[in-house]
Amino acid sequence: SSIGNPTCVERALEHVMQDPNSGPFPVLFDCCCLLVACLDLAIVPYALAWDMDFHDVLPGSGLIACIFWSLAILRSFIYGYYHQGELELRPRRVAQHYFRT
């Protein structure tokens, strides 16, 4: 297929693309990001300063944080973005935007 024509995957993804300002989920997720970031900012320096094993500080916290941040990266690809006041929801454009920023 040519560059301008959407692939089957892109057409399927168009149905899951969302406005970043729609509903309570983006705000709730951003609050969770803030909470996990604060925990990371507190736990990582504490564990490194006293040469502690991360599993001793909060069991499972490292795995949970890793999974959370991985999901946060994937989540960014289903939310569009605004470019010059227009909402961009084309999957390829959204992916290109997030790879550049």
Side-chain angles (χ1 to χ4, degrees), residues 74-87:
L74 294 175
R75 172 204 167 262
S76 68
F77 286 97
I78 66 166
Y79 282 92
Y81 66 97
Y82 286 92
H83 179 72
Q84 297 179 347
E86 295 291 323
L87 179 61

Side-chain angles (χ1 to χ4, degrees), residues 25-47:
F25 182 72
V27 174
L28 179 62
F29 193 83
D30 288 343
C31 290
C32 290
C33 285
L34 183 61
L35 177 66
V36 173
C38 288
L39 287 173
D40 282 349
L41 287 170
I43 292 171
V44 172
Y46 178 79

Side-chain angles (χ1 to χ4, degrees), residues 2-92:
S2 72
I3 299 292
N5 294 332
T7 64
C8 293
V9 173
E10 287 176 307
R11 283 193 299 272
L13 286 175
E14 285 174 355
H15 298 290
V16 298
M17 299 300 290
Q18 297 180 18
D19 183 336
N21 298 324
S22 64
F25 182 72
V27 174
L28 179 62
F29 193 83
D30 288 343
C31 290
C32 290
C33 285
L34 183 61
L35 177 66
V36 173
C38 288
L39 287 173
D40 282 349
L41 287 170
I43 292 171
V44 172
Y46 178 79
L48 291 174
W50 283 276
D51 198 27
M52 298 178 73
D53 186 13
F54 286 102
H55 300 291
D56 293 339
V57 180
L58 279 177
S61 67
L63 179 61
I64 291 169
C66 184
I67 291 170
F68 180 84
W69 292 123
S70 297
L71 291 175
I73 291 170
L74 294 175
R75 172 204 167 262
S76 68
F77 286 97
I78 66 166
Y79 282 92
Y81 66 97
Y82 286 92
H83 179 72
Q84 297 179 347
E86 295 291 323
L87 179 61
E88 179 61 69
L89 290 174
R90 290 176 286 185
R92 183 180 298 190

Side-chain angles (χ1 to χ4, degrees), residues 17 77 81 90-100:
M17 299 300 290
F77 286 97
Y81 66 97
R90 290 176 286 185
R92 183 180 298 190
R93 296 280 175 112
V94 171
Q96 289 172 343
H97 172 77
Y98 284 117
F99 278 125
R100 277 183 276 169

